[in-house]
Amino acid sequence: MLVLALDTATPAVTAGVVRLTDGPDARIAELGVRVAHDARKHGELLMPGVQGACADAGIRLREVEAIVVGTGPGPFTGLRVGMVTAASLGDALGVPVHGVCSLDAIAQAVVLPGKLTGNLLVATDARRREVYWAAYEAEGARLTGPTVESPDAVAERLDGLHLVAAAGTMAERFGLPVREPASPTPAGLVAAAAPALDSGRTPGPLEPLYLRRPDAVPPGERKKVRT
């Protein structure tokens, strides 16, 4: 199966074409990957990345059989770019679109080589002096999260999780050995969605993981002015 994988939950604007073979000996192979780093230009950079990844893979976009997109957690504007693009392409191509937690995708990319000996922390920048984070078993199953908190609050919660490494853009804040990648990879995104892709089940609605309320709020009732 040829899968287009997209993620805009971090400053890395990621697009890739991945071949997924099903069955007990499933294999994930990245055929073409384009990554650009600019937190302010997700909209401008994503589709050129898609086209470049398809060209590197030697395929036409219409040959894609499924799409996987990171659903965050991440900033509101950047996250919407990836999810709206994925939904639009899925509709135009007539292929299913599967959403996965972007932190899960990072964890899957770390554990794919099979060399992790303990649990993993994944932490990315949530701005406002906070991080998005989740913890994972060595095989990639999520233990807790995703949550948004200050790094100090996260550090207080790590006792007892038996962590041996950290990954993500904020991994260096926690005094653990740092593993790559810092951002979701196409292979990690597809690995996170592999059970759904293999089963052929219809994906549910794409639900963004913002983890905090938007800054903008509806205006309140106007106060009456007495004369």
Side-chain angles (χ1 to χ4, degrees):
M1 176 186 294
L2 290 175
V3 184
L4 177 66
L6 311 175
D7 191 274
T8 54
T10 73
V13 183
T14 299
V17 176
V18 177
R19 175 175 284 118
L20 172 67
T21 58
D22 57 9
D25 297 321
R27 294 288 184 273
I28 295 173
E30 292 180 340
L31 305 182
V33 177
R34 293 293 179 98
V35 181
H37 293 269
D38 194 324
R40 298 181 180 274
K41 292 186 177 180
H42 291 94
E44 294 91 333
L45 296 172
L46 184 56
M47 275 310 298
V50 169
Q51 294 166 341
C54 288
D56 293 345
I59 69 164
R60 297 178 183 273
L61 184 55
R62 64 172 177 263
E63 295 178 58
V64 167
E65 300 168 82
I67 298 173
V68 175
V69 62
T71 59
F76 181 80
T77 302
L79 193 54
R80 283 202 310 172
V81 169
M83 296 182 67
V84 169
T85 299
S88 300
L89 288 174
D91 184 61
L93 299 171
V95 300
V97 180
H98 296 268
V100 299
C101 172
S102 299
L103 301 183
D104 291 0
I106 295 174
Q108 288 294 329
V110 173
V111 306
L112 274 174
K115 297 180 180 179
L116 199 63
T117 59
N119 296 336
L120 174 72
L121 171 70
V122 177
T124 60
D125 190 1
R127 303 176 184 175
R128 304 182 192 173
R129 300 180 181 179
E130 292 182 321
V131 298
Y132 301 119
W133 73 280
Y136 298 83
E137 295 178 348
E139 295 78 19
R142 195 190 308 159
L143 288 168
T144 185
T147 307
V148 58
E149 293 179 297
S150 70
D152 290 342
V154 175
E156 292 177 358
R157 298 180 184 276
L158 300 186
D159 289 344
L161 290 179
H162 308 294
L163 300 168
V164 299
T169 57
M170 300 296 285
E172 295 181 356
R173 295 292 300 270
F174 299 98
L176 293 163
V178 176
R179 296 289 188 92
E180 293 293 333
S183 299
T185 66
L189 289 160
V190 172
L197 291 165
D198 286 339
S199 71
R201 68 173 180 261
T202 302
L206 293 177
E207 299 286 349
L209 290 169
Y210 296 130
L211 297 191
R212 53 161 79 109
R213 295 179 179 179
D215 293 329
V217 296
E221 184 180 351
R222 291 186 178 183
K223 294 181 179 179
K224 294 181 180 180
V225 178
R226 295 181 178 180
T227 57

